[in-house]
């Protein structure tokens, strides 16, 4: 689950990570009130208006703007709220901005230069350890840094038993070229950042930029936080931060029905039990000359109700030319599944206008095939993997 920038920053702050302070607003009047309140609390005279969407690269797309007066806060917020923001990370049509974060300006002039760093915390799946990735080259062009000068990005691996050790935090701060109070601040920053990562069961923290202000404070100007869905049950407060407006509506509906569904762009829908079989079925569709329209694991119970919901969800995609049902009957008997498919089909009246290829294999597969063949419905049965692929090929070409 992804958090908005403002939610991520609040999470970090609750673990003692210093952040650029801000207040979220969903209309321009509240935005001005937020700006006034921030001035009272922090003394700031300028503000940044930041679009809250689940996508990065906002600065490049006009989603982060500096306001030097309350009047500017008003006009910038009014234009930004409701707009379709396009950045290198949004879909082509952009993402709708429902809220803005009014944040204190932290790039004020002072005794030293401001400097932008990059820092992320994530799992290294190869070594089974968390790692902190960091660079002196933070800011809006980190992708180019990773591409052209990857040696400027450092990693520090952390033993899960020991956690981030003090010498590691010091090493990170030294490698970032810091000294004096900024060095001390960075040690504190990375230490509390790592604690927040572990305690919140996050799978990614990306703070870009981490800023050294002109008076040598270290703070998070941006936050990208991804939480591990499988651990959300023990973070009820964080689970409530989910913003469904940011997610694919078909996936939201499917997940609410207990289906493991991922939307894709292809022309052959598929319905499978088990994630491994779903993956190989997607390969099969590719080999047959089609493109999978989705990943869908209906799980252990492929009864009429679930099959019907799955059909309805797949049929929402206008590009789908055929549906391949590929079920292995282990504990679930194939004839039960076949009956489920037939009942779902009949329940849906004439909603199904495209061919359905059903391959059932395993317990009672023969009875299942007989049921389907005798149903009189426009359902094509197959028993072998290749046979199913050939039939998909026939109906889509
Ligand atoms: P992103 O483009 O979506 O990653 O959004 P960020 O939150 O990282 O902001 C993008 C850029 O806006 C930063 O790299 C800064 O250059 C700029 N920015 C952010 N906050 C401030 C601020 O308080 N003052 C000024 N002058 N610029 C800021
Ligand atoms: Mn950023």
């Amino acid at each position: 689950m992804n958090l908005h920038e403002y939610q991520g920053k609040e999470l970090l702050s609750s673990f003692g990570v210093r952040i650029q302070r801000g207040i979220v607003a969903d209309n321009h009047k509240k935005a001005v009130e937020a700006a006034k309140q921030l001035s009272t609390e922090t003394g700031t005279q300028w503000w940044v208006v930041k679009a809250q969407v689940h996508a990065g690269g906002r600065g490049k797309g006009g989603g982060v703007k500096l306001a030097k007066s309350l009047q500017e806060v008003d006009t910038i917020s009014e234009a930004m709220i409701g707009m379709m923001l396009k950045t290198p990370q949004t879909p082509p049509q952009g993402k709708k901005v429902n809220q803005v974060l009014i944040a204190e300006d932290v790039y004020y002039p002072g005794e030293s230069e401001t400097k932008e760093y990059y820092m992320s915390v994530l799992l290294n799946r190869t070594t089974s350890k968390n790692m902190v990735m960091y660079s002196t080259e933070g800011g809006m062009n980190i992708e180019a840094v990773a591409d052209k000068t990857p040696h400027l990005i450092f990693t520090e691996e952390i033993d899960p038993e020991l956690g981030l050790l003090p010498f590691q935090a010091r090493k990170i701060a030294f490698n970032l070229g810091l000294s004096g109070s900024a060095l001390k601040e960075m040690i504190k920053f990375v230490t509390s950042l790592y604690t927040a990562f572990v305690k919140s069961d996050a799978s990614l923290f990306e703070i870009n930029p981490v800023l050294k202000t002109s008076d040598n404070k270290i703070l998070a100007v941006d936050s990208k936080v991804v939480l591990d869905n499988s651990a959300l049950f023990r973070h009820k407060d964080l689970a409530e931060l989910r913003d469904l407006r940011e997610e694919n509506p078909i996936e939201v509906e499917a997940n609410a029905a207990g289906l493991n569904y991922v939307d894709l762009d292809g022309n052959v829908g598929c319905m499978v039990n088990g994630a491994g079989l779903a993956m190989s079925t997607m390969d099969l569709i590719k080999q047959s000359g089609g493109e999978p329209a989705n990943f869908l694991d209906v799980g252990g119970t492929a009864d009429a109700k679930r099959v019907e919901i799955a059909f309805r969800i797949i049929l929402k995609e206008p590009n789908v030319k055929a549906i391949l049902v590929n079920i292995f009957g282990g504990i679930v008997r194939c004839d039960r599944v076949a009956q489920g498919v037939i009942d779902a089909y009949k329940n849906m009246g004439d909603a199904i206008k495209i061919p359905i290829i059903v391959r059932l294999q395993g317990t009672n597969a023969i009875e299942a095939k007989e049921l389907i063949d005798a149903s009189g419905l426009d359902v094509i049965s197959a028993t072998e993997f290749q046979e199913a692929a050939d039939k998909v090929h026939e109906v889509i070409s």
Side-chain angles (χ1 to χ4, degrees), residues 117-158:
Y117 302 95
Y118 172 90
M119 189 172 286
S120 57
V121 189
L122 66 163
L123 174 67
N124 181 342
R125 291 177 189 277
T126 314
T127 59
S128 309
K129 286 180 179 166
N130 288 330
M131 58 183 179
V132 176
M133 286 177 70
Y134 60 102
S135 176
T136 52
E137 308 305 303
M140 292 201 282
N141 292 314
I142 190 68
E143 283 82 7
V145 176
D147 195 34
K148 300 206 175 71
T149 48
H151 60 279
L152 295 178
I153 299 178
F154 300 96
T155 57
E156 185 68 25
E157 296 230 339
I158 296 134

Side-chain angles (χ1 to χ4, degrees), residues 271-273 277 281 284 298-303 307 311 324-330 332-342 356-373 375 379-389 391:
M271 185 193 310
V272 190
N273 64 338
L277 188 57
T281 303
L284 186 76
V298 291
T301 45
D303 57 15
V307 172
F311 276 151
L324 172 59
V325 180
N326 191 7
I327 303 278
F328 177 74
V332 50
R333 283 166 26 206
C334 289
D335 53 331
R336 282 264 179 87
V337 177
Q339 196 58 52
V341 171
I342 294 165
I356 296 185
I357 297 102
V358 180
R359 175 201 178 241
L360 293 161
Q361 192 55 276
T363 312
N364 291 1
I366 294 168
E367 291 84 341
K369 187 171 173 8
E370 284 167 5
L371 271 174
I372 296 219
D373 290 343
S375 71
V379 179
I380 305 161
S381 67
T383 32
E384 299 306 320
F385 225 64
Q386 189 55 49
E387 186 192 356
K391 289 186 169 159

